[in-house]
Amino acid sequence: MNDRELFETYKEQVYHLCFYMMQNRSDAEDICQEVFVKALLADRSQVRELKPWLLRIASNECSSVLRRRKNGWAKELSAYLLTRPRISNPVEESVDQREIKMEFYQVYGRLPDKIRIVVTLRYVNEMTIPEIANVLNIPEGTVKSRLNRGIKLLQQMKVFQTKEMIGNESLL
């Protein structure tokens, strides 16, 4: 597979992983570009499966950036939510839908990095548990437990958020 075919075949999957990990378009684009630069410069002759290899590079790049920005995560997310373009047609994008998206991103952003990457690979990139294990170079059992933990954490955070909202309404 030549460089152009590699990029055209996997650009969307790599971008989606980066976007869901970073929750910021410009960061996702930058990291996606970095992933393909590394991939194009690397010796691919020994790589048997390109998709897991590329997603592993993307995962590592996102994790590195997130580690460096750990303390600034809330600022990144709020800046993204405030600056992202809105669809101008009110029929297509209601206020309720925007609020739900914001709540999801806030809750999703609070997941630990190791859990968020597994949830993203499973539900955004639609990868199987063995594929995720291959990408992250971890046992399948670890993938399963992180998925399970991620789903439980998302449910718990949403329940807590709902109780918090009900409590605030009772104060009014």
Side-chain angles (χ1 to χ4, degrees), residues 18-171:
C18 294
F19 178 78
Y20 275 89
M21 285 303 296
M22 303 308 297
Q23 296 184 353
N24 179 303
R25 284 187 182 132
S26 64
D27 286 343
E29 289 168 357
D30 291 345
I31 292 172
C32 188
Q33 182 178 16
E34 184 66 28
V35 167
F36 281 103
V37 167
K38 286 184 176 190
L40 297 178
L41 294 175
D43 176 23
R44 297 190 305 262
S45 62
Q46 301 299 316
V47 178
R48 284 190 273 170
E49 295 184 45
L50 290 172
K51 179 180 172 181
W53 179 71
L54 281 171
L55 292 176
R56 182 178 302 133
I57 294 170
S59 168
N60 290 340
E61 286 295 312
C62 289
S63 294
S64 294
V65 171
L66 288 172
R67 232 182 344 268
R68 288 191 299 265
R69 293 184 184 168
K70 193 78 169 172
N71 296 332
W73 180 252
K75 292 178 188 174
E76 291 274 331
L77 180 59
S78 65
Y80 162 72
L81 291 172
L82 293 173
T83 59
R84 70 182 179 162
R86 305 268 189 233
I87 296 174
S88 60
N89 185 343
V91 173
E92 291 180 30
E93 181 88 4
S94 71
V95 173
D96 289 343
Q97 289 172 331
R98 275 187 256 146
E99 287 177 2
I100 290 169
K101 283 182 186 177
M102 280 179 43
E103 287 175 20
F104 173 76
Y105 285 129
Q106 288 171 344
V107 169
Y108 187 75
R110 288 190 295 221
L111 286 176
D113 296 343
K114 288 181 178 183
I115 293 175
R116 189 169 58 243
I117 185 74
V118 171
V119 171
T120 301
L121 288 171
R122 178 69 183 110
Y123 297 107
V124 176
N125 291 83
E126 298 177 351
M127 295 181 79
T128 64
I129 289 172
E131 288 174 329
I132 296 168
N134 187 18
V135 166
L136 299 178
N137 201 24
I138 58 176
E140 288 182 24
T142 304
V143 172
K144 290 177 186 176
S145 68
R146 287 181 186 175
L147 272 174
N148 189 31
R149 178 118 170 91
I151 291 167
K152 285 183 181 177
L153 283 172
L154 286 170
Q155 289 170 341
Q156 288 170 356
M157 285 188 247
K158 189 59 191 165
V159 167
F160 175 74
Q161 203 172 36
T162 304
K163 286 180 182 177
E164 198 174 70
M165 287 172 54
I166 292 169
N168 289 340
E169 287 175 5
S170 66
L171 293 174

